[in-house]
Amino acid sequence: MELLRRLPKVDTLLKEEEVQKYLNRLPRDLVVEKLRLSIDIIRKRILKMEDTSSIFSLQEECLMEFKRIISLLDDMNFKRVINGTGIVIHTNLGRSILSEGSKKALIKAATYYSNLEYDLESGKRGSRYKNVIEDIKYLIGAEDGLVVNNNAAAVLLVLNTICKDKEAIISRGELVEIGGSFRIPEIMKLSGGTLVEVGTTNRTHLKDYEEAISENTGAILKVHTSNYKILGFTKEVKSKELVDVSLKYNIPIIEDLGSGLIERLDIDGASDEKTARECIEDGVDILTFSGDKLLGGPQCGIIVGKRVWIEKIKKNQLNRALRVDKFTLAALEGTLKEYVKGCSFNIPTINMLTMPLKDIENKIDLLIKELSFLDDKFNIEKSLEKSLVGGGSLPLLEIDTYVLKINSEFLKDHVIEEELRKNHIPIVVRVSRGKIIIDGRCLILDDIDVIKEAFKSIGEKI
């Protein structure tokens, strides 16, 4: 094809003044690579017959494409995203947003040297956990603890320490799978231990545990079914009921709480969720939970319990591979301090989950006002709906919320959704019955201006 033969060569484009500017500040190999990519994009357009009527020469088109591609170098792939789904602990969107205290602590950790593993009292090497463990012990009532990079790591580390070459007894109703194919049986296999399943999927009795105990039993494992519930004809043995069996046979109880609830949530329907302190008070020997779910902090796995077991876990060589860095510890301490001071409302996750319905309605009303210019092209309505907690926490809980429902006779719902998702600040929404749904629960005031500008751009295309 004649057009293909007229495509410029890389050497020709390198001589252009526009390209020379980039050569002065970027590596030559990088510029050459982007030029080749630009030429290839125009080539593909020609082959699709998309470029036969351009008012620009092929050389100009290649240069325009090159400048577009090269400008993306300053555009981070890791982006701010607006959460219009109403799912507060949205795993795909980074779960919990950090509090102001956590953000300040992160900036200090990034800007200055810190006492990460330096004991300021003795002037000698110290423990990296010391700066957060006192707050954790105070809030939960445990004897000791440590922090690893996520809760899956916490469970793996505990099982490898306590149950390697031994057995762990678990109810069949607790053989959970969390997102990302995290399955208790696979984690146990990786830890070097063996699962002994007792009871049935829906009913497990105390005698089932006791009858399964042998000389090779390493622990009794309780796993909180945080992302589903079994209802109906059911029977579960609570951790508190297992304490007598644990003491009788000198076998520790390990409980994976998962969600990491520190204090009761003021939400109807959330009263059944156990707090970490309640687990410890029940007599659990070792407890694991996430830092970025209902606790509302950074991603991490927190292990607490009786000192004799925590000391063994700390000495496990896996602990070094799974340990957290200074940024996680700084953000975690910033979050914990809010609980210690009785200011958990400063933690965005807690704030969003317990937000008064009127406050959510006010955000939606403001958004409707800002989008009033769309009345001739879009249908906009306010509706009372339900939000979800997300993150595998409180799966049956639905919280009243206000949403904005938007549709247009000129554009299909999937087209509007894609335009919003591909906005310079991506806006993630729900789509239902041909309408775009923006939930007000997770919106912050800055988001409203971004949404307004995005719809203005969409409206101009109609």
Side-chain angles (χ1 to χ4, degrees):
M1 186 182 290
E2 178 62 26
L3 283 174
L4 292 176
R5 285 195 290 269
R6 285 163 46 194
L7 280 170
K9 297 185 182 301
V10 171
D11 288 345
T12 302
L13 295 177
L14 282 169
K15 297 174 183 177
E16 290 288 329
E17 184 178 347
E18 282 294 322
V19 178
Q20 287 289 319
K21 292 178 183 177
Y22 289 106
L23 283 172
N24 291 333
R25 65 182 183 89
L26 293 173
R28 180 184 175 85
D29 289 348
L30 178 65
V31 173
V32 170
E33 178 192 337
K34 300 306 180 186
L35 285 171
R36 285 175 178 157
L37 178 59
S38 305
I39 295 169
D40 189 53
I41 289 172
I42 303 302
R43 179 183 293 108
K44 288 176 180 177
R45 285 183 190 169
I46 293 171
L47 291 173
K48 290 181 180 179
M49 301 303 291
E50 294 177 355
D51 208 61
T52 55
S53 59
S54 173
I55 61 172
F56 302 103
S57 70
L58 290 179
Q59 184 159 321
E60 288 175 322
E61 286 217 27
C62 287
L63 286 171
M64 289 168 60
E65 193 61 38
F66 166 75
K67 284 189 283 187
R68 183 190 70 80
I69 293 172
I70 211 81
S71 68
L72 296 178
L73 288 175
D74 294 324
D75 191 15
M76 296 289 289
N77 291 324
F78 201 77
K79 296 176 180 289
R80 166 193 170 185
V81 168
I82 291 175
N83 180 5
T85 68
I87 301 173
V88 178
I89 308 172
H90 199 308
T91 298
N92 295 343
L93 302 184
R95 289 192 179 172
S96 291
I97 297 173
L98 296 179
S99 67
E100 288 300 319
S102 289
K103 287 186 280 187
K104 289 177 181 177
L106 273 173
I107 292 171
K108 283 184 180 179
T111 308
Y112 309 105
Y113 288 104
S114 64
N115 60 330
L116 177 64
E117 288 188 352
Y118 184 69
D119 190 319
L120 295 173
E121 291 294 325
S122 66
K124 298 178 181 179
R125 180 169 182 169
S127 168
R128 66 175 52 210
Y129 309 119
K130 183 178 179 181
N131 296 325
V132 296
I133 289 305
E134 289 306 313
D135 287 338
I136 291 174
K137 287 161 60 178
Y138 170 77
L139 291 168
I140 298 171
E143 293 179 7
D144 202 359
L146 69 154
V147 185
V148 291
N149 57 11
N150 61 27
N151 193 46
V155 175
L156 173 63
L157 180 60
V158 170
L159 291 177
N160 180 258
T161 304
I162 309 301
C163 298
K164 185 178 181 181
D165 299 325
K166 293 184 179 181
E167 297 172 346
I169 303 171
I170 187 172
S171 168
R172 285 188 173 90
E174 298 174 5
L175 294 173
V176 305
E177 176 181 329
I178 310 298
S181 299
F182 168 71
R183 292 179 169 184
I184 288 296
E186 274 77 2
I187 292 295
M188 175 56 80
K189 184 178 179 181
L190 189 62
S191 75
T194 303
L195 276 182
V196 175
E197 303 170 21
V198 297
T200 62
T201 303
N202 60 317
R203 289 180 70 82
T204 301
H205 302 272
L206 185 61
K207 66 176 183 178
D208 294 324
Y209 286 94
E210 189 161 8
E211 289 173 357
I213 293 174
S214 71
E215 61 182 16
N216 199 38
T217 301
I220 294 172
L221 177 61
K222 286 285 297 175
V223 179
H224 183 48
T225 54
S226 59
N227 62 350
Y228 71 96
K229 292 292 181 185
I230 300 175
L231 305 176
F233 186 56
T234 63
K235 171 69 171 125
E236 176 194 356
V237 181
K238 304 295 184 181
S239 302
K240 195 171 184 178
E241 300 174 69
L242 288 166
V243 172
D244 288 341
V245 175
S246 167
L247 294 173
K248 180 179 177 180
Y249 295 95
N250 194 28
I251 298 169
I253 300 173
I254 302 168
E255 181 162 4
D256 173 23
L257 180 62
S259 63
L261 185 64
I262 297 298
E263 58 185 39
R264 290 284 180 193
L265 294 173
D266 187 18
I267 311 172
D268 290 339
S271 59
D272 291 339
E273 187 76 5
K274 285 175 68 175
T275 66
R277 176 175 281 275
E278 287 170 341
C279 292
I280 293 298
E281 290 174 348
D282 282 346
V284 168
D285 295 281
I286 306 162
L287 180 70
T288 67
F289 54 91
S290 295
D292 59 346
K293 291 188 179 182
L294 292 179
L295 191 149
Q299 176 182 299
C300 61
I302 299 173
I303 306 170
V304 295
K306 295 178 179 174
R307 187 169 291 107
V308 62
W309 299 111
I310 298 298
E311 285 300 324
K312 290 182 179 181
I313 295 166
K314 286 180 179 178
K315 293 174 182 176
N316 190 321
Q317 291 299 308
L318 267 179
N319 187 26
R320 183 171 180 83
L322 301 175
R323 71 182 184 179
V324 289
D325 66 2
K326 61 183 179 181
F327 301 113
T328 302
L329 289 169
L332 178 60
E333 184 180 15
T335 304
L336 295 172
K337 290 297 184 190
E338 301 292 0
Y339 286 105
V340 171
K341 294 182 292 185
C343 301
S344 60
F345 52 83
N346 288 330
I347 299 170
T349 294
I350 305 301
N351 181 275
M352 289 177 186
L353 287 173
T354 58
M355 184 176 292
L357 187 59
K358 185 62 180 176
D359 290 355
I360 301 173
E361 184 179 19
N362 289 340
K363 285 191 282 185
I364 290 298
D365 287 342
L366 178 58
L367 184 55
I368 290 173
K369 181 180 177 181
E370 292 297 322
L371 295 180
S372 59
F373 65 91
L374 296 174
D375 286 348
D376 58 334
K377 297 177 181 178
F378 290 84
N379 302 309
I380 301 175
E381 61 176 303
K382 180 173 70 175
S383 177
L384 186 63
E385 299 283 340
K386 298 289 185 181
S387 293
L388 299 175
V389 178
S393 302
L394 301 167
L396 299 183
L397 184 61
E398 295 183 336
I399 316 171
D400 286 340
T401 190
Y402 276 100
V403 305
L404 204 61
K405 293 184 176 180
I406 303 173
N407 70 311
S408 173
E409 297 177 5
F410 305 99
L411 291 174
K412 296 289 186 182
D413 56 356
H414 71 272
V415 175
I416 301 174
E417 183 276 333
E418 184 177 5
E419 288 284 339
L420 293 172
R421 178 166 35 88
K422 292 184 176 180
N423 191 50
H424 70 286
I425 297 177
I427 304 164
V428 182
V429 298
R430 305 201 312 259
V431 180
S432 177
R433 298 180 181 179
K435 295 182 178 181
I436 298 298
I437 297 177
I438 302 176
D439 192 318
R441 181 172 296 277
C442 301
L443 296 183
I444 59 178
L445 290 181
D446 288 351
D447 294 340
I448 292 176
D449 286 337
V450 178
I451 295 171
K452 175 184 177 180
E453 292 304 314
F455 271 102
K456 185 180 293 184
S457 176
I458 295 171
E460 289 172 353
K461 297 178 181 179
I462 297 176

